Amino acid sequence: MKSYQKLTTTQPAACRVEEEGAAPMPTGHGKLAPWWVGSGLLVAAVLLSTITVWVLRQVSGGWLGPTPPPKCLLVPESHRFDCYPERRVVVTQELCESRGCCFIQSPPPAEGKRGVPWCFYPPDFPSYTLESLNQTALGMVGLLVRREKAYYPRDIEKLRLDVEFETDTRLHIKITDAANPRYEVPLDIPQVMKRAENPIYSLNFSWDPFGVLLQRKATGTVLLNTTVAPLIFADQFLQISTSLPSKFLYGLGEHRGSLLHNLDWNTLTLWARDVSPTESFNLYGAHPFYLLMEEGGDAHGVFLLNSNAMEVALQPAPGLTWRTIGGVLDFYIFLGPDPNMVIQQYQQVIGFPAMPPLWALGFHLCRWGYGSSNETWQTVRAMRNYQIPQDAQWNDIDYMDGYRDFTLDSQKFATLPSLVEDLHKHGQRYVMILDPGISSTSPHGSYWPFDEGLRRGLFLNTTQGQPLIGQVWPGFTAFADFSNPDTHQWWLENLQHFYAHVPFDGLWIDMNEPSNFMDGSEDGCPPGEFDSPPYTPAVLGDSLSAKTVCASAKQKASVHYNLHNLYGLMEAKATASALIKIRGKRPFIISRSTFPSQGRYSGHWLGDNQSQWKDMYYSIPGLLSFSLFGIPLVGADICGFSGSTSEELCTRWMQLGAFYPFARNHNTQNEKAQDPTVFSPAARTAMKDVLLTRYSLLPFLYTLFHRAHLQGDTVARPLFFEFPRDVATWELDRQFLWGRSLLVTPVLEPGVDSVTGYVPQGTWYDFYTGSSVNSSGEMLKMSAPLEHLNLHIREGSILPTQKPATTSEVTRGNPLHLIVALSSHATAWGDLFWDDGESLDTFEKGNYSYVVFNVTQNIFTSTVLHASTEATKVTVGTLSIFGVQKPPSKVLLNGQEKPFSYLDNQVLTVSDLGISLSQGFSLQWL
């Protein structure tokens, strides 16, 4: 067996593949030095490892056991790839060596932490050999052969390797069974028709053992090196490892934690689960995608298109191991080279997010436990009375009759249709919750959703072919099978029936992991390979069926074992289709469970958080992670869902939440109300003011969503996306940007009247006053009394804003206020996308206006690149220019002199412009 090796540009790669050459042939099977050992370091490494182990043995009194073989001592601790990842097992030397692995005990880690693996792969562990490699139109196809069985059952001897050079910045590598078809994720992925001509990457292979080495041509940086540990491909255990070029890794959701992952023996599990957001648990969605920042500021991303239960093990080498229990290894690698481009390239594969209706970007209010439609209505009226902006009122499950979908509590919510009518009269919208669990206990003939679903065979079935019965809010329930197209029609019909009584505007789909109050079903789960697989990833509850349905449950498209992580995506797809057919307008859906491509159908909220300061902080890395995942319409429950908030916490959280792309205040039952109307006049005013600020920025926010829909830009954005060469930004997750222009620095601690935030190099302007801040790239202390949220505009930007009102519908008719933030070169740029705010496919059909704003040489120009009638309904009222170095003597609007004001803080303002947005214009100051 050959050693696992590091292939560098100075070493003879076993096989080099260049984009323009023919398929290569082996250049020899020369044994290279182990990959972690550089030239001349071999003796030193062995000596150091031996001394370290000897010292530990003396200290431990011999509990570390016999001296390991020299080949094991060669492997530094940080580079030990786990050979025995099973949880709840005390790994002994006997168990470890039965797998052919090295065993060296290390001091136990801190409680609850994973430490250095005691059982790890030796350098000569058997793996696959690349037997052949042939050219194809798009890349190559190869055959991998394993000569010795690995230690998981149904090891697959021969694998097919497919490589496609899809674009100059995207590489596709797929490994699957060479002889038999396997389950693959049923996602619509665009197929390329020709091979990339000038890729910015080079690809090499090691033949024996098989390995992939991917490098960035411009820098030589090794992005992937899978020779660091053996490839294992058994029927229900697939594992591949790689070295990483840095420790700056993001993504891999859904989890609660900092934006930047900790690589200190950290395992992230991907298996959709209903659990309140908790550090280290697998949460509601699964996103097997990571973004990594390389030294120098380049970035790349890796997506594993696999929907089975999975874990990703991170270690300080730095290194990463993908471990999944089904499907295939189907990788897409995105070369960027900047982080914004990586995310755009990722969404070119999974699909760009849907354009939300404008009202979706207003303020939403909800709680579980209003108790009645009249109490809900009272809250709406109170919001109007205080003139606090609100676009949508929601209800949780208490509107239902016995918590059953598509029903209405005829006693407590009898006036709901009238409430919805009133909302619509005031330009507001109504959103309600739906769960996928359908009550199965109503007398036959009394509950159409279950009766008809049963008749058509639309529920998840047991292995015996009967509907799987679990328990959710209404009691015993069956679960809709959204992998069946017939279920989509049934779902539509149910929604049509309810819409006839309550004409809702959007839907909130919850509990769609799917959640189950039982483990598996009322009868448990049967024995077998799906419910008791040879290997179970580190899922909460230690079982695939913990608080969900049996993995063996039958669905139309496949077994639930394969489809579990897709359940929320499939429900969102069915719901979006139904809403379009019912309303004929852009659908608005918020889903709890998500999977790659979900942004095409829904947004997401971050789940059942708590009214605690740390939860407010964790919402920022949460929303930024979902920006990476292509789901820009995201936010957390403002003020916290469970527990009781405080006035200070809720005020600060309303300030932060006003800058969530999706802004909803939501509260649980049996806690005091937390909508803005219930607080003191001072707090209420602070909340109202920050919502008015949000509403003033709706034109800017709406344009950001257009850019997300059109090309995959992020809306809420980490600072390092805009400043990738500034290493100080790489760990920041207590601030964020809207687009490239607006810096949000919230207060995340109690009892303070200032906040310290990072201000990247350049000139930034206070959003409210226009006063400038010049930064060298440093932490700055900012005043932050309770009524104030710090917002700064980046130099060189133009923000389209609008006079705010209490709904987006009224706001969109008000005059625009364009804010110009001049750069040090006295230039600026911005844009505005404008349409009717709700019609389907306005961009695709040409029913929109697109205006570009530009400043150069003291001349502001507005250029209409595309026009529609909607633009004639709004005017440009005011132009404010920040950073005008000296007082102008006069201002000319289209050549005509115009009154203006100029302040000492270098802000020039020209009001009463009264120009239609549909007309281009220029304004010059002299």
Side-chain angles (χ1 to χ4, degrees):
M1 263 311 138
K2 306 298 179 282
S3 298
Y4 293 92
Q5 51 203 267
K6 185 173 186 177
L7 303 178
T8 69
T9 51
T10 58
Q11 291 174 325
C15 154
R16 177 172 290 276
V17 179
E18 296 294 351
E19 66 286 353
E20 65 274 1
M25 296 302 292
T27 57
H29 290 227
K31 190 168 185 176
L32 305 181
W35 73 273
W36 55 82
V37 181
S39 176
L41 296 180
L42 180 59
V43 174
V46 175
L47 186 61
L48 183 60
S49 296
T50 304
I51 292 171
T52 302
V53 172
W54 182 85
V55 170
L56 284 172
R57 285 174 200 291
Q58 304 313 305
V59 172
S60 66
W63 66 273
L64 291 177
T67 303
K71 67 178 182 181
C72 298
L73 294 174
L74 271 176
V75 185
E77 283 191 350
S78 64
H79 296 72
R80 292 177 184 172
F81 286 83
D82 200 344
C83 177
Y84 217 110
E86 281 80 355
R87 303 289 173 119
R88 315 299 179 203
V89 175
V90 176
V91 182
T92 63
Q93 183 168 353
E94 184 180 9
L95 284 174
C96 179
E97 292 178 351
S98 71
R99 293 187 171 183
C101 290
C102 294
F103 184 81
I104 299 178
Q105 285 178 275
S106 303
E111 187 176 350
K113 299 284 187 182
R114 297 284 282 181
V116 180
W118 292 4
C119 183
F120 57 94
Y121 295 106
D124 58 356
F125 191 91
S127 185
Y128 286 87
T129 300
L130 179 57
E131 291 287 320
S132 66
L133 195 62
N134 296 300
Q135 187 94 350
T136 66
L138 297 177
M140 289 162 284
V141 61
L143 177 67
L144 308 180
V145 177
R146 176 178 273 283
R147 306 293 181 200
E148 296 182 41
K149 285 284 186 184
Y151 44 83
Y152 284 105
R154 298 187 300 284
D155 205 15
I156 297 173
E157 180 187 356
K158 294 183 179 180
L159 302 176
R160 176 186 169 109
L161 168 71
D162 284 287
V163 177
E164 294 182 350
F165 300 98
E166 294 199 338
T167 73
D168 290 345
T169 55
R170 184 171 89 225
L171 176 66
H172 184 192
I173 299 176
K174 181 175 171 184
I175 302 172
T176 187
D177 189 333
N180 300 296
R182 291 179 61 80
Y183 163 77
E184 296 187 29
V185 183
L187 272 195
D188 297 326
I189 301 293
Q191 300 299 309
V192 297
M193 304 310 292
K194 68 171 189 173
R195 179 179 178 141
E197 294 179 358
N198 297 294
I200 64 172
Y201 49 84
S202 63
L203 179 66
N204 303 313
F205 291 111
S206 166
W207 288 71
D208 185 7
F210 166 72
V212 173
L213 182 98
L214 181 68
Q215 287 177 284
R216 184 181 298 281
K217 281 184 179 179
T219 61
T221 302
V222 176
L223 310 182
L224 296 178
N225 178 0
T226 70
T227 67
V228 296
L231 166 67
I232 296 179
F233 202 122
D235 185 36
Q236 291 182 275
F237 186 89
L238 291 69
Q239 178 176 278
I240 190 167
S241 301
T242 182
S243 62
L244 299 171
S246 87
K247 65 178 183 178
F248 293 96
L249 183 137
Y250 315 83
L252 298 173
E254 182 177 3
H255 298 93
R256 165 178 281 204
S258 57
L259 180 63
L260 177 67
H261 284 301
N262 175 14
L263 269 59
D264 190 17
W265 306 109
N266 182 20
T267 297
L268 302 168
T269 307
L270 281 63
W271 183 246
R273 167 66 193 248
D274 173 7
V275 61
S276 296
T278 307
E279 296 88 317
S280 80
F281 288 176
N282 50 296
L283 302 182
Y284 310 107
H287 292 272
F289 167 82
Y290 71 77
L291 180 142
L292 188 138
M293 292 299 294
E294 305 157 31
E295 186 178 341
D298 288 338
H300 71 274
V302 177
F303 172 42
L304 172 55
L305 179 53
N306 182 293
S307 62
N308 289 89
M310 182 188 306
E311 61 190 18
V312 184
L314 309 175
Q315 62 191 76
L320 175 151
T321 298
W322 298 94
R323 225 176 262 136
T324 183
I325 61 172
V328 301
L329 296 176
D330 193 1
F331 290 101
Y332 290 83
I333 302 100
F334 311 99
L335 274 287
D338 78 54
N340 290 292
M341 295 171 72
V342 171
I343 302 307
Q344 290 175 345
Q345 292 156 12
Y346 176 41
Q347 291 174 92
Q348 287 167 7
V349 169
I350 63 171
F352 296 126
M355 183 68 187
L358 177 63
W359 66 265
L361 307 184
F363 179 61
H364 301 248
L365 191 56
C366 185
R367 79 165 300 173
W368 179 21
Y370 281 122
S372 70
S373 49
N374 285 340
E375 188 178 333
T376 309
W377 208 338
Q378 286 173 7
T379 303
V380 172
R381 289 186 181 119
M383 291 285 286
R384 290 178 192 157
N385 183 50
Y386 288 114
Q387 296 183 299
I388 300 172
Q390 181 188 2
D391 258 77
Q393 180 60 51
W394 296 38
N395 277 124
D396 208 316
I397 56 175
D398 41 345
Y399 79 88
M400 300 176 185
D401 179 9
Y403 298 145
R404 296 179 303 164
D405 276 355
F406 312 113
T407 67
L408 190 62
D409 185 325
S410 60
Q411 302 298 313
K412 296 176 180 175
F413 280 82
T415 59
L416 185 58
S418 300
L419 165 57
V420 173
E421 183 182 2
D422 178 67
L423 287 168
H424 291 165
K425 283 180 180 176
H426 286 84
Q428 295 172 301
R429 306 304 200 279
Y430 180 70
V431 180
M432 65 188 196
I433 196 170
L434 278 179
D435 295 338
I438 303 297
S439 175
S440 61
T441 57
S442 300
H444 182 71
S446 66
Y447 184 49
W448 192 86
F450 178 74
D451 292 341
E452 191 63 16
L454 187 64
R455 187 183 73 78
R456 300 186 198 178
L458 304 179
F459 298 123
L460 271 65
N461 284 335
T462 65
T463 54
Q464 304 303 309
Q466 298 300 312
L468 182 147
I469 303 299
Q471 186 175 6
V472 200
W473 294 113
F476 289 115
T477 56
F479 296 86
D481 177 10
F482 292 103
S483 78
N484 185 344
D486 295 340
T487 305
H488 294 214
Q489 177 62 29
W490 163 86
W491 192 245
L492 166 64
E493 291 169 23
N494 279 293
L495 286 167
Q496 285 172 328
H497 297 158
F498 194 80
Y499 186 85
H501 299 287
V502 181
F504 52 84
D505 300 283
L507 290 169
W508 170 21
I509 51 176
D510 191 14
M511 308 292 284
N512 53 354
E513 292 73 31
S515 176
N516 184 1
F517 296 165
M518 299 174 158
D519 290 347
S521 77
E522 61 178 342
D523 301 315
C525 296
E529 60 189 12
F530 294 126
D531 294 301
S532 302
Y535 181 82
T536 300
V539 297
L540 177 63
D542 299 320
S543 165
L544 297 183
S545 63
K547 296 297 179 281
T548 189
V549 299
C550 298
S552 59
K554 293 181 178 179
Q555 295 188 237
K556 178 78 171 181
S558 186
V559 68
H560 191 73
Y561 181 90
N562 293 326
L563 300 178
H564 174 82
N565 282 338
L566 298 173
Y567 194 91
L569 169 63
M570 289 177 166
E571 185 189 15
K573 193 173 182 179
T575 306
S577 172
L579 275 175
I580 290 170
K581 288 173 181 172
I582 290 169
R583 300 183 68 250
K585 298 174 181 177
R586 279 177 231 164
F588 171 75
I589 300 159
I590 294 294
S591 175
R592 192 167 73 180
S593 190
T594 58
F595 190 80
S597 81
Q598 187 109 8
R600 296 168 61 187
Y601 311 105
S602 84
H604 172 64
W605 97 104
L606 295 172
D608 295 340
N609 60 3
Q610 297 185 28
S611 297
Q612 296 182 5
W613 289 90
K614 72 168 187 174
D615 287 63
M616 179 165 60
Y617 153 67
Y618 277 128
S619 72
I620 299 178
L623 74 93
L624 295 178
S625 291
F626 274 86
S627 291
L628 271 58
F629 301 149
I631 306 177
L633 189 62
V634 60
D637 284 345
I638 297 171
C639 301
F641 173 69
S642 62
S644 206
T645 193
S646 68
E647 182 163 291
E648 182 190 11
L649 173 61
C650 199
T651 303
R652 292 300 195 191
W653 209 329
M654 283 289 293
Q655 290 168 344
L656 167 60
F659 286 85
Y660 293 156
F662 164 60
R664 180 186 70 160
N665 179 316
H666 180 43
N667 191 8
T668 190
Q669 61 180 354
N670 303 322
E671 295 288 354
K672 62 185 181 183
Q674 62 186 35
D675 63 84
T677 70
V678 303
F679 294 101
S680 71
R684 186 171 64 237
T685 300
M687 294 178 188
K688 175 182 175 179
D689 286 349
V690 77
L691 287 176
L692 287 170
T693 299
R694 178 190 179 90
Y695 274 62
S696 75
L697 283 159
L698 284 179
F700 175 57
L701 181 61
Y702 193 64
T703 301
L704 291 178
F705 269 96
H706 166 68
R707 298 177 73 86
H709 171 63
L710 186 64
Q711 62 192 37
D713 284 9
T714 53
V715 176
R717 190 171 300 177
L719 272 71
F720 75 83
F721 270 48
E722 288 300 317
F723 303 94
R725 309 287 176 206
D726 182 354
V727 180
T729 65
W730 291 10
E731 296 187 44
L732 298 178
D733 61 6
R734 300 173 72 87
Q735 299 165 271
F736 57 96
L737 293 159
W738 266 12
R740 64 179 301 275
S741 309
L742 188 64
L743 176 62
V744 183
T745 307
V747 171
L748 302 172
E749 299 170 337
V752 299
D753 59 6
S754 65
V755 61
T756 300
Y758 187 78
V759 180
Q761 184 174 8
T763 301
W764 296 79
Y765 297 91
D766 184 288
F767 172 81
Y768 310 99
T769 68
S771 296
S772 63
V773 176
N774 294 302
S775 174
S776 60
E778 56 197 308
M779 300 296 291
L780 295 177
K781 186 176 181 180
M782 311 172 198
S783 175
L786 189 59
E787 69 278 4
H788 185 70
L789 171 69
N790 277 278
L791 298 173
H792 290 87
I793 306 176
R794 184 180 181 182
E795 63 172 303
S797 305
I798 300 176
L799 266 57
T801 73
Q802 207 160 19
K803 181 183 177 182
T806 55
T807 65
S808 62
E809 191 170 290
V810 176
T811 298
R812 62 176 276 108
N814 287 342
L816 289 163
H817 177 189
L818 306 178
I819 301 176
V820 178
L822 291 178
S823 72
S824 56
H825 304 292
T827 60
W829 186 93
D831 61 345
L832 173 63
F833 176 82
W834 195 265
D835 61 10
D836 69 6
E838 62 179 7
S839 292
L840 292 163
D841 303 324
T842 55
F843 178 77
E844 292 76 4
K845 294 175 181 176
N847 299 327
Y848 69 94
S849 294
Y850 182 66
V851 186
V852 168
F853 311 113
N854 195 58
V855 172
T856 184
Q857 295 181 331
N858 291 3
I859 301 174
F860 173 96
T861 56
S862 172
T863 307
V864 180
L865 296 184
H866 193 279
S868 70
T869 55
E870 290 296 325
T872 64
K873 301 175 185 177
V874 66
T875 60
V876 178
T878 306
L879 187 63
S880 293
I881 305 170
F882 298 169
V884 177
Q885 296 293 319
K886 56 184 180 180
S889 59
K890 60 181 174 180
V891 169
L892 303 177
L893 174 64
N894 291 335
Q896 301 295 311
E897 220 171 308
K898 193 76 178 167
F900 65 91
S901 69
Y902 181 83
L903 301 178
D904 290 343
N905 64 348
Q906 301 183 336
V907 174
L908 168 64
T909 302
V910 187
S911 303
D912 302 319
L913 296 174
I915 300 174
S916 171
L917 179 63
S918 62
Q919 296 177 323
F921 69 92
S922 67
L923 186 139
Q924 183 178 17
W925 59 99
L926 303 169

